[in-house]
Amino acid sequence: MKASESILFSGGAPGAEAAFGACAERRGVEEVNFTFDGHRIERHRGVRVLNHEELLGGDVSLEYVSRLMHRRYTDSPTIRRVLQTLWYQVNHGQEIYVVGAILDDGTVRGGTGWGAEFAKLCNKPLSVFDQDKDTWLRWNGQQWDRLGHTDAPIITHPHFTGTGTRELRPNAQKAIEELFSRSFD
């Protein structure tokens, strides 16, 4: 696949999203970062500020998300907008790559978890680099499959999403760089 014909959909936030964006830029992959007014982002390439109506298009019941994720999300405007921008990221990507940690209940920790769950609901190919386990895992529709070096993920669709934790560890930074190397070098 040609990097010049690919688009990364992300959010531009510090951590995993900034790392995905930096790797995309180095390889000539176009970048679209969905955000909202007042949100602190680190990537300023391909910024797409969503207006009020567009944010409503990605709105979801926090009660529903809380039940699905087995945790409470506070009903703050910032949390709501972050979840709405994640909807846009996942909706536009055809393959979803997430950095975080998979919990015992099979969900991904934090707000990033909504992006992963939405990808599952949309039946999109989903790979998560679990920083705690130091490995990639792929959702098979029922459970997470651990991937080794021989079956590590490769970006195969020109429209893909990269998102994840703001607390990026060195092992995850390396995993993102290797994902781009396998896919575009």
Side-chain angles (χ1 to χ4, degrees):
M1 185 171 57
K2 292 183 179 180
S4 62
E5 297 174 358
S6 300
I7 303 172
L8 164 68
F9 295 98
S10 195
E17 291 179 350
F20 276 108
C23 284
E25 184 172 16
R26 281 194 298 275
R27 286 171 177 79
V29 172
E30 189 176 340
E31 186 178 354
V32 175
N33 286 302
F34 292 106
T35 190
F36 53 90
D37 280 333
H39 194 226
R40 188 176 71 86
I41 58 174
E42 191 170 305
R43 299 289 304 166
H44 297 282
R45 182 173 167 253
V47 171
R48 175 72 175 80
V49 179
L50 299 169
N51 65 39
H52 176 73
E53 285 183 6
E54 290 169 318
L55 287 167
L56 287 176
D59 203 15
V60 64
S61 159
L62 289 177
E63 184 65 33
Y64 172 75
V65 172
S66 294
R67 276 193 313 241
L68 186 69
M69 303 295 296
H70 311 116
R71 64 191 85 129
R72 275 311 294 150
Y73 284 92
T74 60
D75 193 4
S76 78
T78 300
I79 292 293
R80 181 172 294 283
R81 288 184 188 118
V82 166
L83 296 179
Q84 290 166 332
T85 60
L86 279 166
W87 183 89
Y88 274 88
Q89 291 175 40
V90 172
N91 197 44
H92 281 76
Q94 296 305 307
E95 293 177 346
I96 315 303
Y97 299 91
V98 175
V99 172
I102 298 172
L103 302 175
D104 290 340
D105 65 5
T107 64
V108 177
R109 182 183 309 146
T112 298
W114 166 239
E117 288 303 305
F118 184 53
K120 289 178 188 177
L121 290 170
C122 294
N123 209 25
K124 294 190 178 192
L126 170 64
S127 297
V128 172
F129 183 80
D130 188 315
Q131 296 187 119
D132 294 343
K133 295 179 178 88
D134 194 29
T135 192
W136 282 101
L137 296 102
R138 180 177 295 128
W139 181 251
N140 70 16
Q142 301 290 322
Q143 64 186 15
W144 293 103
D145 293 331
R146 185 179 288 248
L147 305 177
H149 292 302
T150 58
D151 58 354
I154 296 173
I155 299 165
T156 61
H157 196 283
H159 294 172
F160 64 99
T161 298
T163 189
T165 181
R166 289 175 176 260
E167 306 299 324
L168 189 68
R169 297 182 193 159
N171 64 337
Q173 174 73 45
K174 181 179 179 208
I176 293 169
E177 289 170 5
E178 290 174 348
L179 170 66
F180 275 80
S181 292
R182 284 189 302 274
S183 305
F184 297 111
D185 289 350

